[in-house]
Amino acid sequence: MSEAILAIIERLRGEVKEYSLDASGLANKLGLRPCCVDLISPSDKVWSELTKFYEEVICIRHELLSSRSPDVMAEALIRLIAERGVRYVVAPHSSMGIEVAPYLAVKMRAPLVTDVVDLELLDGRLRAKRYLHGGKVVVKVEPPPSKCYVITLRPGVFKPALRAKPGKVVELSYDLSLRPSRKCVGYVEPKVGEVDITKSPVIVSVGRGLRDPKNLTLIEDLARMLGGVVAGSRPVIDKGWLPKDRQVGSSGKTVKPKLYLALGISGSFQHVVGMKDSELIIAVNKDPNAPIFNVAHYGVVDDLLKVATALRAQLSKAKA
Amino acid sequence: MAPPLRIAVCVKRVAEASEAEFEVDAEGRLRARGLVYDINEWDDYALEEALRMKESLGGEVVVFTVGGPEDEEVLRKCLAKGADEAVRIDAPGLSDPLLIAELLSAAISRDRFDLILAGAQASDDGYAAVPSLMASLMALPFATLVKRVEIRGSLVVAHRELEGGVEEVVELSIPALLSIQSGINEPRYVSIMGLRRASKKPIKVLSLEELKKTRPLPAAEERLKVVGYEIPSSERRAQLLEGPADKAAEAILRILKERGILA
């Protein structure tokens, strides 16, 4: 039997995160058995959907896991990995993965590679591709040979691979003893604003290239003339120039408008996952090498303010 | 009265790449043009958070970096903003997150700290791994992607930013490590005068030999080996519309009309 990939499933309030399925695509590509582990609290339901993608779905249920504390998750994982002799442990590069994967790697003395976008196995050696400098450079790295590797995958890069027949569910129970060093005491929902950008057919989105919040007037004019709304990427929200509910990206909203006009947005992967499925993407950026041009259909290499000003002038002339 | 807080902040000097051009030379090395260096944006938020804690609760802020003499520039900036002490671990040019985490942990463990703050990720290498690796190495309670934090005695209440903008509220006890998400606060600016004053403050330099005395270090070599670079802009999908801005705007409006987005 071929070796297995063990994917760590991410849940939020019981719901499985979609990108937890990505590792099945990686297993498929590498010719490894797709297995996953779902660390669940007593009240959670076993999600049979996982068997459509994974040959073996291992559920570990324990009341301590409701703490969502990475040390407890790692304790359960270490037991399972040792028991099964798992060689490839994979987590999404997400709010869960960036905590659990490094924590686990240290405890297992296993090499760690994070935010991986491609992976190859060369006579048992592992070679990973990942991005540097916000997507402008790809670096190929090789961890030292090991019995076990811990990897986080950039969400959305590997497409989940459906299985011909559903896999099986295995429930394991471990006697976890560690006292969680952290407790989850609740959640805060994102504030609901007056505009729901996910409903708009046209989105004019601004990034760091806006330079000054005064320039928002121009962008708002443009959005109105195009029958759309203004949104933004993380830097614009961080600076408080636009409210949080206007943020497009992994920690904001996912949008699929007819037109996404990206102005002065470099195109970090966290932004791109939130807008890549838009029907038409037009990007304006001063930097000809900005990663946003790898996802846009049309691009203009120029200052967003110049192009936005020209667009506004031509639109108002056409109206007059 | 609670004793004053001692806060360690890990910072990194990074190349700001948004205007830079990269190429891979004939020997496979990465070459860059137009790089401007500054403190990693996430670390700037972490420093600001530490300074605000110090200002409201009393305490001391010590900044740490791993690098060469040129990296002291960001430590000076931190001192100018209000950090009390600065330490440079003398190990230039590293990118292996585990090695960096080991060095920082060894240096920080030489002293007592209540809180360790670091940016959630660095804009250059983007592993987003060093804070969680350090927490594991030092066996500390930790939380990543922190967007809001409150200290209640020996308890830390932190809001983690999850996908979709939901925040997870977690409780952990001091000593603890927090990785800070951007946007948590508004980092202060530093004046030329402040920078000038900070240029006279001492920076402590720790050699690897010195560090080994406190904590056994594994062979101080990078274990994650870089085997090559590629430039992905060659995969560009966008069809470029010619300038100047007027002409490009005309082309955009033509496309919108063709697609029926504009009447």
Side-chain angles (χ1 to χ4, degrees):
Chain A
M1 208 188 290
S2 65
E3 280 187 300
I5 270 191
L6 182 71
I8 308 171
I9 300 299
E10 177 168 350
R11 285 185 183 243
L12 179 61
R13 288 175 288 190
E15 295 292 315
V16 169
K17 287 280 183 187
E18 210 178 327
Y19 47 65
S20 298
L21 305 174
D22 294 2
S24 64
L26 173 66
N28 202 34
K29 180 194 141 125
L30 298 177
L32 300 169
R33 282 197 307 125
C35 299
C36 69
V37 54
D38 194 3
L39 301 166
I40 57 185
S41 30
S43 59
D44 292 338
K45 283 197 188 73
V46 172
W47 209 47
S48 65
E49 192 74 8
L50 290 172
T51 60
K52 292 184 185 165
F53 301 90
Y54 292 103
E55 183 181 313
E56 194 178 6
V57 177
I58 302 163
C59 292
I60 302 177
R61 195 189 293 269
H62 199 287
E63 59 186 16
L64 289 182
L65 291 167
S66 29
S67 66
R68 293 169 55 89
S69 190
D71 49 358
V72 176
M73 292 172 74
E75 191 194 4
L77 291 167
I78 289 166
R79 296 270 283 274
L80 178 67
I81 293 162
E83 224 172 77
R84 301 269 176 130
V86 178
R87 198 173 167 85
Y88 306 103
V89 183
V90 175
H93 193 70
S94 61
S95 60
M96 182 279 284
I98 67 163
E99 294 198 326
V100 176
Y103 196 85
L104 180 70
V106 167
K107 300 293 175 214
M108 304 267 315
R109 295 175 178 272
L112 168 78
V113 195
T114 60
D115 197 15
V116 167
V117 296
D118 200 7
L119 204 63
E120 286 176 289
L121 296 178
L122 311 152
D123 341 301
R125 286 199 334 274
L126 187 144
R127 182 176 285 186
K129 272 192 191 181
R130 53 189 312 287
Y131 287 112
L132 302 179
H133 298 294
K136 292 181 101 171
V137 178
V138 170
V139 65
K140 287 176 276 184
V141 292
E142 252 184 51
S146 171
K147 285 197 308 230
C148 178
Y149 299 93
V150 182
I151 292 142
T152 67
L153 300 183
R154 177 171 288 197
V157 172
F158 296 92
K159 301 284 165 260
L162 264 176
R163 298 177 47 73
K165 60 173 188 170
K168 60 175 183 197
V169 176
V170 179
E171 293 213 41
L172 292 181
S173 101
Y174 287 135
D175 182 21
L176 302 178
S177 58
L178 202 76
R179 210 174 131 251
S181 67
R182 187 173 103 189
K183 197 163 73 181
C184 170
V185 293
Y187 296 94
V188 179
E189 292 299 324
K191 276 201 201 89
V192 182
E194 55 212 85
V195 176
D196 183 357
I197 58 169
T198 64
K199 300 264 161 49
S200 179
V202 172
I203 294 178
V204 181
S205 199
V206 285
R208 204 186 290 272
L210 187 68
R211 298 199 290 277
D212 193 303
K214 276 186 282 191
N215 297 324
L216 272 173
T217 322
L218 166 65
I219 308 304
E220 278 156 6
D221 287 350
L222 189 56
R224 201 177 47 247
M225 289 167 140
L226 291 169
V229 297
V230 178
S233 63
R234 172 176 274 287
V236 173
I237 313 299
D238 281 350
K239 288 180 165 55
W241 297 349
L242 282 175
K244 175 85 187 165
D245 61 298
R246 302 288 182 112
Q247 185 177 345
V248 173
S250 56
S251 53
K253 302 255 172 78
T254 300
V255 297
K256 292 174 191 174
K258 285 192 163 48
L259 168 66
Y260 191 85
L261 186 55
L263 304 176
I265 291 175
S266 66
S268 72
F269 94 89
Q270 291 92 341
H271 184 74
V272 167
V273 297
M275 48 64 81
K276 64 175 177 358
D277 295 325
S278 305
E279 281 175 43
L280 176 66
I281 302 167
I282 302 178
V284 180
N285 202 297
K286 271 202 300 204
D287 177 4
N289 299 311
I292 192 74
F293 292 126
N294 302 345
V295 61
H297 301 95
Y298 295 95
V300 180
V301 180
D302 203 342
D303 182 349
L304 81 91
L305 296 179
K306 281 191 198 153
V307 178
T309 307
L311 277 170
R312 182 175 63 177
Q314 291 180 22
L315 281 165
S316 65
K317 208 164 73 190
K319 234 181 180 175
Chain B
M1 260 295 277
L5 281 177
R6 298 223 353 122
I7 310 169
V9 183
C10 306
V11 299
K12 183 180 186 185
R13 175 177 175 263
V14 296
E16 164 49 58
S18 63
E19 311 267 312
E21 276 181 55
F22 292 92
E23 59 179 40
V24 181
D25 71 11
E27 279 83 53
R29 282 172 308 204
L30 186 65
R31 299 274 178 196
R33 262 195 316 220
L35 292 182
V36 187
Y37 290 88
D38 203 347
I39 183 171
N40 174 43
E41 195 181 343
W42 281 266
D43 300 343
D44 201 22
Y45 284 103
L47 174 70
E48 179 64 36
E49 202 58 28
L51 294 173
R52 288 181 187 200
M53 286 174 186
K54 169 183 135 171
E55 284 155 6
S56 65
L57 303 163
E60 267 189 316
V61 173
V62 184
V63 284
F64 291 83
T65 198
V66 179
E70 66 282 5
D71 295 295
E72 290 185 3
E73 168 191 300
V74 299
L75 294 179
R76 300 222 176 269
K77 195 167 180 180
C78 296
L79 289 169
K81 287 188 174 201
D84 300 283
E85 284 173 46
V87 180
R88 173 172 69 84
I89 300 160
D90 188 29
L94 298 185
S95 67
D96 181 337
L98 180 58
L99 183 53
I100 294 168
E102 277 164 343
L103 297 177
L104 285 168
S105 302
I108 289 172
S109 310
R110 288 160 63 94
D111 214 330
R112 179 192 69 81
F113 286 101
D114 301 295
L115 283 173
I116 300 166
L117 267 52
Q121 61 176 324
S123 62
D124 53 359
D125 292 334
Y127 282 100
V130 169
S132 304
L133 289 168
M134 287 174 69
S136 195
L137 288 165
M138 295 195 275
L140 285 176
F142 75 114
T144 59
L145 300 166
V146 172
K147 208 57 197 279
R148 198 173 131 192
V149 56
E150 203 187 314
I151 314 287
R152 296 183 193 151
S154 64
L155 194 70
V156 180
V157 181
H159 290 229
R160 301 184 61 222
E161 185 182 69
L162 308 183
E163 288 70 17
V166 179
E167 290 177 6
E168 178 186 10
V169 187
V170 297
E171 280 181 7
L172 47 170
S173 61
I174 282 174
L177 183 146
L178 304 174
S179 103
I180 303 296
Q181 176 62 297
S182 64
I184 186 176
N185 52 40
E186 201 179 316
R188 65 196 68 188
Y189 285 97
V190 54
S191 65
I192 306 265
M193 272 304 288
L195 274 174
R196 204 169 294 158
R197 271 197 304 272
S199 70
K200 294 186 188 77
K201 289 193 183 170
I203 286 174
K204 187 169 177 184
V205 179
L206 275 177
S207 67
L208 298 187
E209 287 66 41
E210 186 71 23
L211 271 185
K212 277 178 196 154
K213 289 181 199 161
T214 22
R215 199 183 165 104
L217 284 179
E221 58 188 53
E222 302 209 81
R223 281 149 290 185
L224 202 56
K225 216 168 66 194
V226 170
V227 291
Y229 297 99
E230 286 167 11
I231 305 299
S233 56
S234 51
E235 300 155 19
R236 180 154 72 205
R237 167 167 109 164
Q239 183 188 329
L240 292 188
L241 306 171
E242 293 287 313
D246 280 347
K247 225 177 120 198
E250 273 172 37
I252 291 174
L253 295 181
R254 203 162 45 238
I255 294 163
L256 298 189
K257 278 179 192 146
E258 279 166 17
R259 300 269 187 138
I261 294 167
L262 214 58

